[in-house]
PDB file of all heavy atoms in Angstrom:
ATOM      1  N   VAL V  41     -14.911   7.746  -9.844  1.00  0.00           N
ATOM      2  CA  VAL V  41     -14.315   6.493 -10.071  1.00  0.00           C
ATOM      3  C   VAL V  41     -14.240   5.765  -8.698  1.00  0.00           C
ATOM      4  O   VAL V  41     -13.822   6.298  -7.725  1.00  0.00           O
ATOM      5  CB  VAL V  41     -12.815   6.668 -10.622  1.00  0.00           C
ATOM      6  CG1 VAL V  41     -12.129   5.374 -10.663  1.00  0.00           C
ATOM      7  CG2 VAL V  41     -12.913   7.315 -11.992  1.00  0.00           C
ATOM      8  N   VAL V  42     -14.627   4.563  -8.728  1.00  0.00           N
ATOM      9  CA  VAL V  42     -14.538   3.635  -7.512  1.00  0.00           C
ATOM     10  C   VAL V  42     -13.432   2.604  -7.700  1.00  0.00           C
ATOM     11  O   VAL V  42     -13.348   2.018  -8.766  1.00  0.00           O
ATOM     12  CB  VAL V  42     -15.872   2.942  -7.296  1.00  0.00           C
ATOM     13  CG1 VAL V  42     -15.774   1.962  -6.079  1.00  0.00           C
ATOM     14  CG2 VAL V  42     -16.995   3.921  -7.153  1.00  0.00           C
ATOM     15  N   VAL V  43     -12.536   2.546  -6.736  1.00  0.00           N
ATOM     16  CA  VAL V  43     -11.429   1.593  -6.737  1.00  0.00           C
ATOM     17  C   VAL V  43     -11.715   0.428  -5.831  1.00  0.00           C
ATOM     18  O   VAL V  43     -12.120   0.661  -4.691  1.00  0.00           O
ATOM     19  CB  VAL V  43     -10.125   2.327  -6.395  1.00  0.00           C
ATOM     20  CG1 VAL V  43      -8.923   1.346  -6.447  1.00  0.00           C
ATOM     21  CG2 VAL V  43      -9.897   3.548  -7.319  1.00  0.00           C
ATOM     22  N   HIS V  44     -11.485  -0.765  -6.347  1.00  0.00           N
ATOM     23  CA  HIS V  44     -11.756  -1.986  -5.539  1.00  0.00           C
ATOM     24  C   HIS V  44     -10.600  -2.864  -5.799  1.00  0.00           C
ATOM     25  O   HIS V  44     -10.032  -2.908  -6.898  1.00  0.00           O
ATOM     26  CB  HIS V  44     -13.100  -2.593  -6.012  1.00  0.00           C
ATOM     27  CG  HIS V  44     -13.339  -3.929  -5.346  1.00  0.00           C
ATOM     28  ND1 HIS V  44     -12.998  -5.101  -5.891  1.00  0.00           N
ATOM     29  CD2 HIS V  44     -13.992  -4.199  -4.199  1.00  0.00           C
ATOM     30  CE1 HIS V  44     -13.290  -6.090  -5.118  1.00  0.00           C
ATOM     31  NE2 HIS V  44     -13.964  -5.574  -4.070  1.00  0.00           N
ATOM     32  N   THR V  45     -10.181  -3.621  -4.749  1.00  0.00           N
ATOM     33  CA  THR V  45      -9.109  -4.520  -4.968  1.00  0.00           C
ATOM     34  C   THR V  45      -9.597  -5.942  -4.478  1.00  0.00           C
ATOM     35  O   THR V  45     -10.374  -6.046  -3.609  1.00  0.00           O
ATOM     36  CB  THR V  45      -7.852  -4.105  -4.202  1.00  0.00           C
ATOM     37  OG1 THR V  45      -6.804  -5.017  -4.515  1.00  0.00           O
ATOM     38  CG2 THR V  45      -8.099  -4.083  -2.735  1.00  0.00           C
ATOM     39  N   GLY V  46      -9.070  -6.896  -5.161  1.00  0.00           N
ATOM     40  CA  GLY V  46      -9.345  -8.305  -4.793  1.00  0.00           C
ATOM     41  C   GLY V  46      -8.186  -8.924  -4.016  1.00  0.00           C
ATOM     42  O   GLY V  46      -7.403  -8.216  -3.429  1.00  0.00           O
ATOM     43  N   GLY V  47      -8.123 -10.211  -4.045  1.00  0.00           N
ATOM     44  CA  GLY V  47      -6.964 -10.857  -3.370  1.00  0.00           C
ATOM     45  C   GLY V  47      -5.652 -10.624  -4.057  1.00  0.00           C
ATOM     46  O   GLY V  47      -5.574 -10.440  -5.291  1.00  0.00           O
ATOM     47  N   ILE V  94      -0.029  -4.510  -5.503  1.00  0.00           N
ATOM     48  CA  ILE V  94      -1.262  -3.767  -5.116  1.00  0.00           C
ATOM     49  C   ILE V  94      -1.907  -3.185  -6.367  1.00  0.00           C
ATOM     50  O   ILE V  94      -3.132  -3.253  -6.620  1.00  0.00           O
ATOM     51  CB  ILE V  94      -1.013  -2.759  -4.075  1.00  0.00           C
ATOM     52  CG1 ILE V  94      -0.621  -3.407  -2.705  1.00  0.00           C
ATOM     53  CG2 ILE V  94      -2.194  -1.829  -3.893  1.00  0.00           C
ATOM     54  CD1 ILE V  94      -0.104  -2.534  -1.644  1.00  0.00           C
ATOM     55  N   LEU V  95      -1.120  -2.501  -7.225  1.00  0.00           N
ATOM     56  CA  LEU V  95      -1.682  -1.834  -8.365  1.00  0.00           C
ATOM     57  C   LEU V  95      -2.236  -2.817  -9.409  1.00  0.00           C
ATOM     58  O   LEU V  95      -3.212  -2.553 -10.042  1.00  0.00           O
ATOM     59  CB  LEU V  95      -0.544  -0.888  -8.964  1.00  0.00           C
ATOM     60  CG  LEU V  95      -0.165   0.303  -8.280  1.00  0.00           C
ATOM     61  CD1 LEU V  95       0.992   1.096  -8.981  1.00  0.00           C
ATOM     62  CD2 LEU V  95      -1.444   1.272  -8.021  1.00  0.00           C
ATOM     63  N   MET V  96      -1.540  -3.939  -9.507  1.00  0.00           N
ATOM     64  CA  MET V  96      -2.001  -4.937 -10.551  1.00  0.00           C
ATOM     65  C   MET V  96      -3.295  -5.600 -10.117  1.00  0.00           C
ATOM     66  O   MET V  96      -3.991  -6.196 -10.990  1.00  0.00           O
ATOM     67  CB  MET V  96      -0.919  -6.078 -10.746  1.00  0.00           C
ATOM     68  CG  MET V  96       0.269  -5.474 -11.507  1.00  0.00           C
ATOM     69  SD  MET V  96       1.524  -6.724 -11.897  1.00  0.00           S
ATOM     70  CE  MET V  96       1.624  -7.799 -10.546  1.00  0.00           C
ATOM     71  N   ASN V  97      -3.593  -5.628  -8.860  1.00  0.00           N
ATOM     72  CA  ASN V  97      -4.857  -6.257  -8.361  1.00  0.00           C
ATOM     73  C   ASN V  97      -5.954  -5.277  -8.161  1.00  0.00           C
ATOM     74  O   ASN V  97      -6.963  -5.595  -7.475  1.00  0.00           O
ATOM     75  CB  ASN V  97      -4.512  -7.059  -7.120  1.00  0.00           C
ATOM     76  CG  ASN V  97      -3.689  -8.221  -7.394  1.00  0.00           C
ATOM     77  OD1 ASN V  97      -4.163  -9.139  -8.119  1.00  0.00           O
ATOM     78  ND2 ASN V  97      -2.427  -8.264  -6.974  1.00  0.00           N
ATOM     79  N   MET V  98      -5.841  -4.041  -8.671  1.00  0.00           N
ATOM     80  CA  MET V  98      -6.917  -3.094  -8.480  1.00  0.00           C
ATOM     81  C   MET V  98      -7.926  -3.121  -9.604  1.00  0.00           C
ATOM     82  O   MET V  98      -7.478  -3.333 -10.787  1.00  0.00           O
ATOM     83  CB  MET V  98      -6.392  -1.641  -8.441  1.00  0.00           C
ATOM     84  CG  MET V  98      -5.848  -1.255  -7.070  1.00  0.00           C
ATOM     85  SD  MET V  98      -5.433   0.554  -7.177  1.00  0.00           S
ATOM     86  CE  MET V  98      -4.740   0.754  -5.647  1.00  0.00           C
ATOM     87  N   ASP V  99      -9.149  -2.968  -9.313  1.00  0.00           N
ATOM     88  CA  ASP V  99     -10.173  -2.726 -10.313  1.00  0.00           C
ATOM     89  C   ASP V  99     -10.732  -1.451 -10.190  1.00  0.00           C
ATOM     90  O   ASP V  99     -11.092  -0.982  -9.060  1.00  0.00           O
ATOM     91  CB  ASP V  99     -11.313  -3.835 -10.156  1.00  0.00           C
ATOM     92  CG  ASP V  99     -10.822  -5.231 -10.412  1.00  0.00           C
ATOM     93  OD1 ASP V  99      -9.942  -5.455 -11.328  1.00  0.00           O
ATOM     94  OD2 ASP V  99     -11.232  -6.161  -9.670  1.00  0.00           O
ATOM     95  N   MET V 100     -10.944  -0.640 -11.274  1.00  0.00           N
ATOM     96  CA  MET V 100     -11.421   0.630 -11.212  1.00  0.00           C
ATOM     97  C   MET V 100     -12.741   0.672 -12.028  1.00  0.00           C
ATOM     98  O   MET V 100     -12.718   0.211 -13.143  1.00  0.00           O
ATOM     99  CB  MET V 100     -10.476   1.737 -11.730  1.00  0.00           C
ATOM    100  CG  MET V 100      -9.259   1.882 -10.810  1.00  0.00           C
ATOM    101  SD  MET V 100      -8.252   3.163 -11.373  1.00  0.00           S
ATOM    102  CE  MET V 100      -6.810   2.211 -11.966  1.00  0.00           C
ATOM    103  N   TYR V 101     -13.777   1.281 -11.461  1.00  0.00           N
ATOM    104  CA  TYR V 101     -15.066   1.394 -12.111  1.00  0.00           C
ATOM    105  C   TYR V 101     -15.562   2.816 -12.177  1.00  0.00           C
ATOM    106  O   TYR V 101     -15.388   3.540 -11.188  1.00  0.00           O
ATOM    107  CB  TYR V 101     -16.158   0.545 -11.396  1.00  0.00           C
ATOM    108  CG  TYR V 101     -15.762  -0.886 -11.329  1.00  0.00           C
ATOM    109  CD1 TYR V 101     -15.222  -1.440 -10.086  1.00  0.00           C
ATOM    110  CD2 TYR V 101     -15.966  -1.772 -12.325  1.00  0.00           C
ATOM    111  CE1 TYR V 101     -14.883  -2.750 -10.048  1.00  0.00           C
ATOM    112  CE2 TYR V 101     -15.628  -3.118 -12.270  1.00  0.00           C
ATOM    113  CZ  TYR V 101     -15.143  -3.600 -11.041  1.00  0.00           C
ATOM    114  OH  TYR V 101     -14.766  -4.888 -10.969  1.00  0.00           O
TER     115      TYR V 101
END
Side-chain angles (χ1 to χ4, degrees):
V41 175
V42 176
V43 179
H44 175 268
T45 185
I94 291 169
L95 291 176
M96 289 187 320
N97 289 295
M98 278 188 185
D99 295 321
M100 291 185 252
Y101 301 100

